[in-house]
Amino acid sequence: MEKEVRIYIRIQKSRKENWKKICSEKQISLSSLIIHSVEKRILDDERRKVLNFIEEQDNIFVRIETNINQLARHVNTMKAITPSDVDYFNRQLNHIIELKKEQNSIFKKIYSMIGK
């Protein structure tokens, strides 16, 4: 493993305080902010947000898939589908579509950050 070295830079005290405030809000270290910004890499707080978003979406998709499977079982058992069941099914599908749009938007942002 490569040995870490210390770099000293001079900046105005007010600028340092602003940077520390940013770090506090993002819950990251000043070193992480500087290194990731210079290297144009995704910040740790953004990485956490992405992982949380993916986990939340996964849970939502599992719940919706379960509901759709239950509806399909009900329809197969009854050999018919009511208008309210069709409406419920369509709402679930629309929810998935909206979540996928949001997910794709976030992934595009991630790829653009990683690609730099």
Side-chain angles (χ1 to χ4, degrees):
M1 184 167 189
E2 198 174 337
K3 183 178 177 183
E4 292 186 4
V5 295
R6 197 173 287 264
I7 296 176
Y8 297 96
I9 62 172
R10 279 183 243 163
I11 61 171
Q12 298 164 334
K13 186 173 183 172
S14 61
R15 181 171 280 170
K16 180 181 177 185
E17 293 306 315
N18 286 338
W19 289 4
K20 287 173 76 175
K21 182 180 174 189
I22 291 169
C23 291
S24 177
E25 290 168 358
K26 294 181 174 284
Q27 297 179 343
I28 59 175
S29 69
L30 185 55
S31 294
S32 175
L33 175 70
I34 294 168
I35 291 168
H36 290 107
S37 296
V38 168
E39 294 178 355
K40 296 181 180 173
R41 293 175 25 203
I42 189 168
L43 297 174
D44 291 340
D45 72 312
E46 292 165 338
R47 186 176 292 115
R48 283 191 300 270
K49 286 179 189 176
V50 168
L51 293 175
N52 286 339
F53 174 77
I54 291 170
E55 185 176 328
E56 285 175 22
Q57 277 211 302
D58 189 44
N59 292 337
I60 291 169
F61 287 140
V62 166
R63 181 177 51 83
I64 293 172
E65 288 168 1
T66 300
N67 291 344
I68 289 171
N69 285 336
Q70 288 172 347
L71 178 63
R73 261 185 259 125
H74 174 74
V75 169
N76 285 336
T77 302
M78 298 304 214
K79 304 293 183 204
I81 186 167
T82 66
S84 64
D85 288 339
V86 171
D87 185 51
Y88 175 76
F89 182 78
N90 285 332
R91 284 195 316 272
Q92 296 296 319
L93 291 177
N94 286 333
H95 193 157
I96 288 175
I97 290 168
E98 291 304 313
L99 290 172
K100 284 293 184 182
K101 285 179 185 176
E102 184 180 352
Q103 181 184 44
N104 290 342
S105 173
I106 290 174
F107 286 157
K108 284 179 185 176
K109 289 177 187 174
I110 293 168
Y111 291 136
S112 70
M113 294 173 91
I114 293 172
K116 290 183 178 182

